[in-house]
Amino acid sequence: MSTPIQIARGALLAPAELEDRDLDRVMDQLLGAEIDAADLYFQSSRLESWVLEDGIIREGSHNIEQGVGVRAVSGEKTGFAYTDEILLPSLMQAGQTARAIARSSGQGEVHIQGVATPHQLYQPLNPLQSMTEQEKVELLRQLDAEARKQDPRVSQVIASLVAAHDVVLIVSSDGTLSGDVRPLVRCNVQVIVEQGEQREQGSSGGGARQPFSFFLEQDRALGYAREAVRQALVNLEAIEAPAGSMPVVLGPGWPGVLLHEAIGHGLEGDFNRKGTSAFSGRIGERVAAKGCTVVDDGTLPGRRGSLNIDDEGTPSQNTVLIEDGILAGYMQDKLNARLTGVASTGNGRRESYAHLPMPRMTNTYMLPGDYDPQEIIASVDRGLYAVNFGGGQVDITSGKFVFSASEAYLIENGRVTQPVKGATLIGNGPDVLTRVSMVGKDLELDSGVGTCGKEGQSVPVGVGQPTLKVDELTVGGTNT
Amino acid sequence: MNKLNELTNQQGQLEQMVEDLLAEAKSQGASAAEAGVSKDIGLSVSVRMGEVETIEHTRDRGLGVTVYFGHRKGSASTSDFSSDAIRETVRAACNIARYTTEDPCAGLADAALMATEKPDLDLYHPWNIEVDQAIATGLECESSARSLDPRITNSEGATLNSHDGLQVYGNSHGFIGGYPSSRHSLSCAVVGQQGDSMQRDYWYTVARAAGELEAAADVGRKAGERTLTRLGARRISTRQAPVVFQAEMAVSLLRSLIGAISGSALYRHSSFLLDHLGRQIFPEFVRVHENPLLSGGLSSAPFDSEGVTTRAKNFIDRGILESYVLGSYSARKLGMQSTGNAGGVRNLAIQPGELDLDGLLGEMGKGLLVTEMMGHGINMVTGDYSRGAAGFWVENGEIQFPVEEITIAGNLKQMFAGLAAVGKDEERRGSIRTGSWLLEPMTIAGE
């Protein structure tokens, strides 16, 4: 099988007959006086999606996106241009535009050399072709049938399959040329259940850097259909959620979105270099209770948030953010690492060639502790047990963050009792983890559904955690 | 290069591409097809702490095609405009249509609804701004914010954006139309510090024509003032209290209304306003209307994304739901007719009231003024509403102190029914316009 670099050269350079010496020329022109670093980001993406609704395959779409982003950096200044024509004249022109960030002109000298990626966390395959169209639509029909046979109250099923094939080639002013082929698949099932006048919804899904066969293994896809129905039926029985501060037990896996919002964003290198994060200048300080260790790990095989290399060509790594409660490190891209005198942690990511890279998370999770999850629930007199969440958001400057529960229960006298309606939880990032009093031994990662937005750019990410008890968190229900 | 004429000169070329796409679809066997092509040229300049931070030259283009084989549908799009890529794209769409199911509701919008007149809505005012001038404007804006008060200690900078776009849509009814448009904006965000705690806030201005933007110094000053008012924010205890949503926040309540009366939510039975057409959902004084043909409007359009004529209309009149928001597909699913809203609502507005924001606070007396919300805690199936919030505690109609780290919760149906007054302080910077809203008590969760 070809290596990712060979595939990337074939897909991105060969059609325009671009040779390494052409790339040298573009880089030479980009570099020179006042320019500290520059890079070219070649990308070719194919995206395909299929949607079933009302029992029929309603629509499908296919999208091609390709181009080159050209960046020149001078001190804290960045010049950026891109072109969707991968041709030498367009590249040279984009280079001219990007380097205008520096007042004086100049000429560098770069000789590009390919570097192999140290990881192979996923196969360099095209997931669009990993199943026939007939098999894809058949799978969607099975999801519809599986959901509907769970309960006669299921009135609507929307199921989708998405595959992305992303081929990137990164040429950096340090002379390295690296490439990556990133498959990504996603499956989602959403259901509406009706009981008399009352309606509720539930949804479930998963994804990975794998071929579509991932969904057939371990009964995953049909499991999403059953899980979506289960959640919707639970919500039909939900009573008003409580309002106010109380102990909250968060289930394992996807509730790790807490970590993503409460501390993850605040530990991104750009905010900390600028001093706009509530975590700025706090390395070495206690920001979580003893026993809390949080990492950002881009090296987990096949995970949605994993990368062989980041979008600046730096190999992804496992970065310890919080070690036993103490703030240990930030996530860096090249620009912020250089300006703060540290090394990139392989967190430089971008939505596409048409966007600038910045420090972003990969898979962010907390390591397991010692407690049995049942023991954690049993320790709460009155509180909330939240097991499924929608999205979240954070104000990194004030540190305030929210995340919205979509499946939660009351805990009364150490026992999980009634389901409650969805409610938003709000807290303060720098101190929420200091209130973690019990960490379960049941670490789980999410099923591969996370998408993180920052400054208008979306990238796939993962989260995870064991069952956690936060002694006090504000629950935004209606029942006072 | 004269940017002024760059896009208008390309309209014929893009129209030809649409014609070629439709012809290619026909030659590959499609019984009907629709296609859109767009281009966008832009400049984005950011400054921070008195220095240039980024200069981005953007140049986006895309084309998309949807083909129908009878009532089976397939779509594809590409940013690659080479003739090979265009053929491949049409082929991909046709291939998909082999696997989608026969759907009697799928197809082009009805031919009789196609826009026959395409009035010039005055949407295109290109700005030949040079990079140096953009930098100077950004610097003036940020400096105005930073020099306001020593408590403004840090900055996320100021950004000037200028974008010109051209879009053309056509379908096999013979409809083809396109127009250029422009959009310019200036924004600023700064950080204030008091003791150990930091707050950030922002302001922005956006317009079709550069001359209609707020002055750079004013944008910066407002960003700074807004940040300063948030310093010293604290939590409040859990309680029930009336709430004023400041105009910018009230926009999101109207957005929820539009989501709930949109055809796609209705035919999926995933709306809390299912079967509410003709029913009272707001108090009688409420009128919500749209004017897609507003000259120079930020979301004006002479036809919708299916070529259907857009027209001014009420969605809510005297508090009663008068119309859903429909494109052709959802209209057919519901046995109705398209309302010309494929692609969304355009210049939607709620009739402003008599009071300004201070007047509304006076009317409220004691309660919460919400100036920021966080998260997406809205269940559109049930209307259950729970979001993070920040703002000000108000007593005797006067702001007492800033509050943060609280949530507000209720149910949208009851919130709409409990709308007590709409302000005249209209937020006009987006596709939805509204003054501030005074609502009956909601649950505030805090300490």
Side-chain angles (χ1 to χ4, degrees), chain A residues 81-144:
Chain A
Y82 56 87
T83 169
D84 32 32
E85 288 175 324
I86 306 184
L87 295 170
L88 187 58
S90 308
L91 268 171
M92 294 297 279
Q93 198 196 339
Q96 287 280 1
T97 311
R99 100 164 308 291
I101 191 83
R103 297 281 153 176
S104 45
S105 59
Q107 183 89 355
E109 202 179 317
V110 178
H111 291 291
I112 287 153
Q113 267 201 319
V115 288
T117 39
H119 314 298
Q120 193 180 51
L121 304 171
Y122 34 84
Q123 295 298 317
L125 55 87
N126 180 350
L128 280 66
Q129 293 165 358
S130 65
M131 228 184 219
T132 65
E133 272 72 359
Q134 197 57 47
E135 288 168 326
K136 292 170 198 167
V137 300
E138 216 29 67
L139 175 57
L140 287 173
R141 291 202 173 97
Q142 285 172 22
L143 293 174
D144 182 62

Side-chain angles (χ1 to χ4, degrees), chain A residues 33-113:
Chain A
E34 292 183 37
I35 299 292
D36 298 312
D39 57 12
L40 312 176
Y41 184 85
F42 293 80
Q43 183 182 31
S44 170
S45 292
R46 296 283 186 283
L47 183 85
E48 183 187 274
S49 70
W50 296 90
V51 179
L52 172 142
E53 186 180 284
D54 260 350
I56 63 170
I57 307 298
R58 181 161 109 74
E59 60 187 13
S61 66
H62 181 272
N63 179 259
I64 303 172
E65 214 165 323
Q66 65 179 42
V68 193
V70 180
R71 174 172 67 148
V73 179
S74 171
E76 296 189 32
K77 301 190 189 100
T78 300
F80 181 57
Y82 56 87
T83 169
D84 32 32
E85 288 175 324
I86 306 184
L87 295 170
L88 187 58
S90 308
L91 268 171
M92 294 297 279
Q93 198 196 339
Q96 287 280 1
T97 311
R99 100 164 308 291
I101 191 83
R103 297 281 153 176
S104 45
S105 59
Q107 183 89 355
E109 202 179 317
V110 178
H111 291 291
I112 287 153
Q113 267 201 319

